[in-house]
Amino acid sequence: MKILITDKTENEVVQQLKDAGQEVTFNEMDPATLLKEIPKYDGLMVRSRTKATADVINAGAKGSLKVIGRAGIGVDNIDLPTASKNKIKVVNAPTGTTESVAELAFGLMLAASRSIPQADHSMKQGLWEKKAFKGVELCGKTLGIIGIGRIGTELGKRALAFNMKVLAYDKYIQKSPTAKIAMVSLEKLLKESDYLSLHIPFVKEEGATIKEPDFEKMKDGVIIINCARGGVVDEQALLKYLNSGKVRAAALDVYAAEPPTFKELVTHPKVVCTPHIGASTKEGQLRAGKICAEQMLLVLSGKTPDFWVNKKMMEGK
Ligand code: MLT
């Protein structure tokens, strides 16, 4: 069968598909070309650059498109209802980049606590502002994790190794992944956490999980980390509480609009920013690509994939 890969992918992943007997085309095509070319393919593999829009999927369905693979976690760039309606399976690689994202979130906790990027910037200006960068320790503090799935759990384990107390809240998970992480209500988590890190998807219909009234319930001096999706924290409210001093610092890898248009937040002196690089490690990208390829091969050989994102939608549930 024919597989089109439209976002940068490791040679090993291409080889894996070829070894399984697939004809593979790699081409970072523009949206108009993709629309024209997609009917020729049985499978489309993307990362986050390519947008598998309703038009692209409908065009693919008129040809032989059977599966869309996302070599990563989030499927915001794939129109799931249209894929489901056309019986096109969407698969992803939710286990591929767990460690990469957890490590970035942990790195951002340290960076925000010690103003590492700001201090580096100051040094590069030729300054020696030793007194300006008095930080706070992680040791002995409480980390509140919202969303205790794979990434949240890995972050929690790292925090425990730094002698932090770890609390978690999850709308869907009641049982703690490890005895040392205590499951609590959102209210308790907001009230008791010195650090707050979010690891949940963004559901457009539900809007932000952390909104203005939630900030009021937080501890003074809380540090907020978001490596999940921009929309899960209300950015206007975050700016308001950074300015009031209630929020000591924020470290963000994701934004409501990407690239971010809310410049006041990104340029805020108490904000540490990275350009959505949580999953961007050599190891993570390779693992995600391989898992995605494996999932697509399962679909193309008529088997049920393990990571079938639109299963419920396709089954009408
Ligand atoms: C993911 O969902 O896999 C990550 O956030 C990476 C990305 O979307 O760029």
Side-chain angles (χ1 to χ4, degrees):
M1 296 207 196
K2 293 172 84 174
I3 297 181
L4 174 65
I5 304 177
T6 52
D7 291 334
K8 237 179 208 62
T9 302
E10 295 71 15
N11 292 337
E12 272 178 80
V13 176
V14 174
Q15 198 53 50
Q16 179 185 351
L17 292 167
K18 286 187 177 164
D19 289 348
Q22 312 298 322
E23 196 185 314
V24 185
T25 305
F26 168 69
N27 188 333
E28 287 181 285
M29 49 185 69
D30 58 64
T33 315
L34 176 60
L35 198 60
K36 199 163 90 261
E37 291 295 308
I38 194 66
K40 298 180 195 158
Y41 293 91
D42 302 279
L44 170 67
M45 187 193 277
V46 301
R47 288 207 193 261
S48 56
R49 188 198 66 96
T50 301
K51 309 289 171 233
T53 59
D55 286 349
V56 168
I57 296 171
N58 283 327
K62 286 197 186 110
S64 51
L65 191 65
K66 297 165 188 66
V67 60
I68 301 173
R70 161 78 164 100
I73 305 176
V75 284
D76 340 39
N77 54 330
I78 302 171
D79 190 317
L80 292 182
T82 306
S84 309
K85 202 178 70 207
N86 284 296
K87 303 271 173 270
I88 293 169
K89 290 190 173 105
V90 177
V91 294
N92 70 345
T95 54
T97 53
T98 306
E99 285 76 14
S100 309
V101 182
E103 286 184 10
L104 183 76
F106 201 78
L108 288 177
M109 280 171 64
L110 287 168
S113 301
R114 304 301 300 270
S115 307
I116 297 171
Q118 293 92 332
D120 174 71
H121 182 73
S122 155
M123 287 287 290
K124 289 189 169 116
Q125 310 287 305
L127 302 172
W128 184 255
E129 298 184 289
K130 206 168 153 64
K131 296 234 166 19
F133 300 114
K134 187 169 178 186
V136 286
E137 291 179 347
L138 300 190
C139 183
K141 302 286 167 45
T142 299
L143 166 65
I145 301 177
I146 300 183
I148 196 76
R150 295 180 186 90
I151 298 170
T153 301
E154 286 307 312
L155 176 67
K157 287 186 195 162
R158 283 154 180 78
L160 288 168
F162 266 60
N163 291 328
M164 295 184 84
K165 179 177 168 188
V166 183
L167 305 177
Y169 163 77
D170 196 300
K171 208 168 155 182
Y172 304 102
I173 302 171
Q174 271 86 45
K175 194 174 172 304
S176 173
T178 122
K180 292 197 176 125
I181 298 179
M183 298 301 293
V184 296
S185 66
L186 182 58
E187 292 279 317
K188 188 170 162 72
L189 183 131
L190 295 175
K191 197 166 148 234
E192 295 185 9
S193 299
D194 301 291
Y195 291 80
L196 207 65
S197 190
L198 295 104
H199 300 282
I200 48 175
F202 175 61
V203 182
K204 209 170 159 194
E205 297 71 35
E206 293 172 12
T209 299
I210 299 299
K211 299 186 273 295
E212 194 161 333
D214 301 302
F215 283 93
E216 288 294 337
K217 296 173 193 158
M218 291 176 198
K219 250 185 167 175
D220 289 342
V222 64
I223 292 180
I224 297 181
I225 296 97
N226 187 7
C227 292
R229 284 293 182 263
V232 301
V233 177
D234 180 326
E235 292 182 341
Q236 291 287 347
L238 175 59
L239 181 68
K240 175 176 165 184
Y241 289 92
L242 277 163
N243 283 336
S244 77
K246 171 108 188 159
V247 175
R248 179 187 168 94
L252 309 172
D253 184 47
V254 289
Y255 310 88
E258 293 188 2
T261 46
F262 191 13
K263 301 286 183 226
E264 221 180 320
L265 183 64
V266 177
T267 57
H268 196 285
K270 292 183 194 165
V271 175
V272 173
C273 294
T274 48
H276 200 151
I277 54 168
S280 301
T281 63
K282 200 172 146 194
E283 298 84 353
Q285 290 300 295
L286 180 59
R287 275 195 303 267
K290 284 181 161 180
I291 295 167
C292 181
E294 184 189 286
Q295 296 300 305
M296 291 179 74
L297 290 172
L298 284 172
V299 175
L300 294 176
S301 61
K303 299 195 181 102
T304 306
D306 309 295
F307 305 128
W308 179 3
V309 182
N310 60 342
K311 185 172 192 283
K312 283 193 180 149
M313 264 190 206
M314 277 179 71
E315 289 171 347
K317 287 182 194 155

